[in-house]
Amino acid sequence: MKPIHLIHHPDCRLHDTGGYHPERPERTQVIVEAFKAATFARPIVWELATPSELSWIEKVHDGHYIRRIEELCLRGETALDRGDTQVSDESFDVARLAAGAAMQTVDCVLRASAHAAFSVMRPPGHHAEVAEAMGFCLFNNIAIAARYAQQAYDLKRVAIIDIDVHHGNGTQAIFYEDPSVLFVSFHQFPFYPGTGSSIERGRGLGDGATLNIPLTAGAKFDEYESAWHDQVLPKLLSFEPEMILISAGFDAHKDDPLANMLLKTSDFLQLTRLIGGFAEQSCGGRVVSILEGGYNLKALAASCVAHVDGLCGIE
């Protein structure tokens, strides 16, 4: 029985966002503790994250932007973009670890050593654009992982499914004209960052390779499930991805302080099973997952356990 690989590094805690910031070191700490206390249907293998080479980050981000982030962190700046993305002098190095961990999830699955893989790292990434940090994100980890899967393993079509409550504007922007990456996003709308309407569907050769599922505040799992069957599954079937990457945000949980959705912990198990069921039929069950948001510590830890339970069930 192939194991689930979990990628983490204790240096996550060195990305210091200040005492009252919702994207805080305790987020990954409680997830790791919950995993170690849980019992799963498959063996669990822990891997220590290694930093991404800058050349891979440059597949997604502007080189000047990367150097500016490094310089600002080393200079002791504490805030980027509009001030909500807090940093410290260690943040650049930790962000490289998070990008590297995302790439490791791809290695684990495509080298056939793992059944599935989940990166339990911070800072998150899906708001980061080519040359702009925002929404607690420095580098777009899942976009880097997608490019890595394509260029290191010669995959022609990959799908990114973003279940974070906030729209993954950065991921969308990076692949908006790219027909080789299908971007699907479930999110509260209208809401931060203001993007993600249903009319945003890609541009040029990428027209139709973006599928936004904007949901109103108060949405429950049945609305996610209906959208999956009515919109997402047909799009995935026609696209025929060779791998699924999940932007795994858990801030659509009913107890999350930063959003207004009503998903329960068990709903993340069911949502993961929907994604995994498609992956079984389409791409040999090749699924990787990369942590994004989730800011109620108890709900986050429990939802991550449910998510990995769902990954264990992929055949």
Side-chain angles (χ1 to χ4, degrees):
M1 178 183 289
K2 287 185 179 180
I4 301 288
H5 283 225
L6 302 177
I7 295 89
H8 179 63
H9 200 292
D11 283 357
C12 276
R13 70 185 187 278
L14 300 180
H15 171 50
D16 184 1
T17 53
Y20 300 99
H21 198 281
E23 205 295 284
R24 58 199 191 273
E26 291 83 357
R27 293 182 65 239
T28 51
Q29 293 169 9
V30 298
I31 296 169
V32 170
E33 291 168 3
F35 283 156
K36 290 182 176 178
T39 300
F40 295 106
R42 290 180 179 271
I44 298 297
V45 173
W46 289 91
E47 285 200 18
L48 194 66
T50 57
S52 170
E53 295 178 6
L54 294 182
S55 59
W56 282 109
I57 299 175
E58 289 172 349
K59 303 291 184 183
V60 166
H61 292 288
D62 178 79
H64 295 292
Y65 166 75
I66 297 168
R67 288 188 290 276
R68 183 167 63 86
I69 295 296
E70 181 177 23
E71 290 166 1
L72 289 172
C73 291
L74 291 175
R75 202 165 68 203
E77 296 290 336
T78 59
L80 306 177
D81 66 270
R82 301 173 183 85
D84 62 347
T85 304
Q86 299 289 311
V87 293
S88 60
D89 56 358
E90 302 278 3
S91 293
F92 178 79
D93 291 336
V94 177
R96 282 187 65 190
L97 278 173
M103 294 163 58
Q104 283 173 254
T105 64
V106 175
D107 286 334
C108 290
V109 171
L110 293 184
R111 290 177 183 170
S113 59
H115 175 73
F118 182 30
S119 171
V120 186
M121 295 291 291
R122 57 185 289 273
H126 72 151
H127 292 308
E129 299 194 358
V130 171
E132 183 177 2
M134 62 183 293
F136 316 158
C137 303
L138 304 186
F139 300 140
N140 197 307
N141 304 316
I142 202 157
I144 293 165
R147 281 288 181 246
Y148 179 68
Q150 290 181 315
Q151 297 184 18
Y153 291 93
D154 198 31
L155 297 191
K156 305 303 182 187
R157 298 176 310 283
V158 298
I160 296 172
I161 301 177
D162 191 326
I163 62 173
D164 192 278
V165 80
H166 303 96
H167 180 243
N169 60 291
T171 312
Q172 174 175 291
I174 289 163
F175 298 117
Y176 206 57
E177 298 184 23
D178 186 343
S180 71
V181 179
L182 174 64
F183 175 65
V184 177
S185 178
F186 294 87
H187 51 272
Q188 183 175 326
F189 186 85
F191 202 45
Y192 180 89
T195 52
S197 75
S198 58
I199 64 171
E200 297 167 23
R201 55 190 310 275
R203 182 186 303 117
L205 294 176
D207 185 24
T210 293
L211 176 61
N212 284 308
I213 309 295
L215 300 165
T216 58
K220 297 181 179 180
F221 178 70
D222 58 351
E223 294 175 62
Y224 282 74
E225 188 173 30
S226 294
W228 173 268
H229 290 294
D230 295 344
Q231 300 180 62
V232 179
L233 189 55
K235 178 67 75 172
L236 287 167
L237 287 168
S238 63
F239 183 72
E240 298 182 330
E242 298 168 278
M243 187 175 198
I244 304 291
L245 298 88
I246 304 173
S247 258
F250 300 97
D251 38 8
H253 195 284
K254 63 184 180 62
D255 294 333
D256 196 272
L258 297 192
N260 311 103
M261 303 299 248
L262 296 177
L263 294 190
K264 299 175 293 185
T265 299
S266 59
D267 293 333
F268 290 104
L269 169 63
Q270 299 303 322
L271 187 54
T272 306
R273 283 177 172 170
L274 289 176
I275 297 169
F278 169 78
E280 290 171 5
Q281 302 172 24
S282 170
C283 53
R286 293 190 290 194
V287 176
V288 303
S289 183
I290 296 166
L291 181 66
E292 300 285 1
Y295 304 101
N296 176 298
L297 296 181
K298 182 178 179 180
L300 173 63
S303 298
C304 284
V305 170
H307 180 56
V308 171
D309 272 336
L311 294 177
C312 285
I314 301 170
E315 296 297 334

